[in-house]
């Protein structure tokens, strides 16, 4: 037996262990269905480097691991989608086709290269209805998992997936789905990441043409506020003349004021005036 020999099984096992350790060092990403589409949520303190992106009209992308490696995969997916959509038809670009492309590339690199990619990827496609939605999770070795309802990857993915399974239900509203995702991403007894360190996006089937939309700023804060249960407070009106509002003068009533809802667009931060 030559010096330094290692069996193919040992080499593959070492590559897999190396990739898993690299992926586990990152923060988890959650992808789940809600009544109007698919929601992506990831703790991400960086405003420039995105874990969640748009690939094509109805297709979104999320990844964990080494940024330079999954960014190359993302760009390759965009080129694939653009070429096929232009050459044939936009409807011919599907999440399944993109997942197959990624699986082929990841499997080839894992088998032929000394070092495997330290990435895990989700390709999600929103359909005309919930039965047409698809979530594909791809691992570093090219394995493809057709997930139903939700997917978690990166960090403590198994624990996150367990918390998701306990709370997930079909046809949740967007606010409820966001709450479930944040509960799953937060360790028991831990603190949730602040709004400024959350990356949130949706594939909304009700939008025209391009379904991908990022949720930021006031829009995201309002969604988070809808999931907060406030305790009921019963108050007794003060006697006439003892109110700080001037005796019998009733408190002013009128429509609540607040930041306007942003129009449809690639980014909804809640600060743009309505159309």
């Amino acid at each position: 037996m030559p010096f330094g020999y290692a069996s193919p099984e040992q080499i593959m096992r070492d590559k897999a262990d190396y990739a898993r350790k690299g992926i586990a060092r990152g923060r988890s990403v959650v992808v789940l269905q809600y009544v109007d589409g698919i929601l992506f949520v990831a703790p991400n303190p960086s405003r420039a480097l995105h874990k969640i992106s748009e690939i094509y009209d109805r297709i979104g992308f999320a990844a964990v691991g080494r940024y330079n490696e999954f960014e190359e995969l993302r760009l390759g997916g965009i080129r694939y989608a653009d070429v096929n959509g232009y050459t044939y038809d936009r409807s011919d670009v599907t999440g399944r086709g993109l997942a197959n492309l990624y699986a082929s590339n990841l499997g080839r690199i894992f088998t032929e290269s000394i070092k495997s990619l330290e990435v895990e990827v989700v390709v999600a496609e929103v359909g005309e209805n919930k039965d047409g939605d698809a979530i594909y999770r791809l691992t570093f070795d090219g394995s493809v998992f057709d997930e139903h309802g939700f997917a978690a990857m990166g960090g403590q993915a198994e624990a996150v997936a367990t918390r998701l399974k306990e709370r997930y239900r079909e046809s949740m509203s967007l606010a409820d789905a966001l709450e479930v995702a944040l509960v799953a991403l937060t360790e028991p007894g831990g603190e949730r990441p602040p709004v400024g360190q959350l990356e949130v996006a949706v594939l909304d089937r009700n939008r025209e043409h391009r379904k991908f939309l990022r949720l930021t700023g006031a829009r995201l804060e309002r969604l988070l506020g809808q999931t907060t249960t406030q305790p009921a407070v019963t108050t007794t009106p003060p006697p006439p003349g003892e109110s700080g509002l001037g005796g019998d003068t009733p408190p002013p009533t009128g429509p609540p004021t607040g930041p306007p809802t942003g129009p449809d667009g690639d980014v909804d931060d809640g600060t743009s005036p309505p159309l």
Side-chain angles (χ1 to χ4, degrees):
M1 181 180 294
F3 177 77
Y5 171 82
S7 66
E9 293 84 356
Q10 184 62 47
I11 293 173
M12 293 300 179
R13 191 157 46 244
D14 291 344
K15 285 183 181 180
D17 290 343
Y18 180 84
R20 289 192 188 99
K21 289 177 181 177
I23 294 169
R25 285 195 293 267
R27 302 185 183 186
S28 299
V29 173
V30 165
V31 181
L32 69 161
Q33 287 180 277
Y34 72 103
V35 64
D36 290 324
I38 299 174
L39 171 68
F40 303 79
V41 183
N44 185 7
S46 173
R47 295 296 87 193
L49 308 180
H50 295 302
K51 294 181 178 181
I52 301 166
S53 300
E54 178 184 23
I55 294 290
Y56 211 57
D57 297 344
R58 314 177 68 88
I59 302 173
F61 172 95
V64 294
R66 286 190 175 272
Y67 176 80
N68 62 311
E69 294 178 350
F70 67 68
E71 178 67 5
E72 186 174 350
L73 290 173
R74 184 186 72 87
L75 294 175
I78 291 174
R79 287 192 291 268
Y80 163 85
D82 283 345
V83 169
N84 281 271
Y86 180 80
T87 305
Y88 305 106
D89 187 81
R90 301 186 76 89
S91 62
D92 291 328
V93 181
T94 64
R96 178 181 297 178
L98 189 61
N100 288 336
L101 174 70
Y102 283 151
S104 176
N105 289 337
L106 287 168
R108 175 178 50 79
I109 293 171
F110 179 76
T111 303
E112 299 176 0
S113 300
I114 296 176
K115 174 191 171 300
S116 62
L117 297 185
E118 298 172 57
V119 298
E120 198 164 339
V121 172
V122 161
V123 175
E125 179 179 13
V126 67
E128 296 296 333
N129 53 59
K130 68 176 184 178
D131 294 331
D133 294 347
I135 300 174
Y136 302 101
R137 180 172 62 88
L138 297 98
T139 57
F140 55 87
D141 59 355
S143 299
V144 184
F145 299 89
D146 184 6
E147 305 285 4
H148 299 282
F150 60 85
M153 58 182 179
Q156 303 298 320
E158 292 184 4
V160 173
T162 299
R163 292 192 288 270
L164 267 177
K165 187 176 181 180
E166 293 172 352
R167 295 167 176 82
Y168 175 80
R169 64 184 188 277
E170 293 186 358
S171 301
M172 292 186 293
S173 68
L174 177 56
D176 289 340
L178 180 58
E179 173 69 10
V180 168
L182 290 177
V183 170
L185 288 168
T186 305
E187 292 290 335
E191 294 185 2
R192 294 185 181 184
V195 175
Q197 295 185 13
L198 283 175
E199 185 176 358
V200 181
V202 295
L203 289 170
D204 185 349
R205 76 178 91 257
N206 297 321
R207 284 170 53 82
E208 294 292 333
H209 188 45
R210 294 174 66 180
K211 309 299 183 181
F212 186 87
L213 177 68
R214 292 190 184 277
L215 304 178
T216 63
R219 166 65 167 152
L220 181 56
E221 290 176 357
R222 283 199 297 276
L223 279 174
L224 292 172
Q226 292 176 24
T227 65
T228 304
T229 303
Q230 298 292 341
V233 178
T234 304
T235 58
T236 303
E242 295 184 9
S243 170
L245 296 174
D248 295 330
T249 304
T253 58
T257 59
T261 302
D264 287 345
D266 291 338
V267 179
D268 186 353
D269 60 3
T271 60
S272 302
L275 293 177

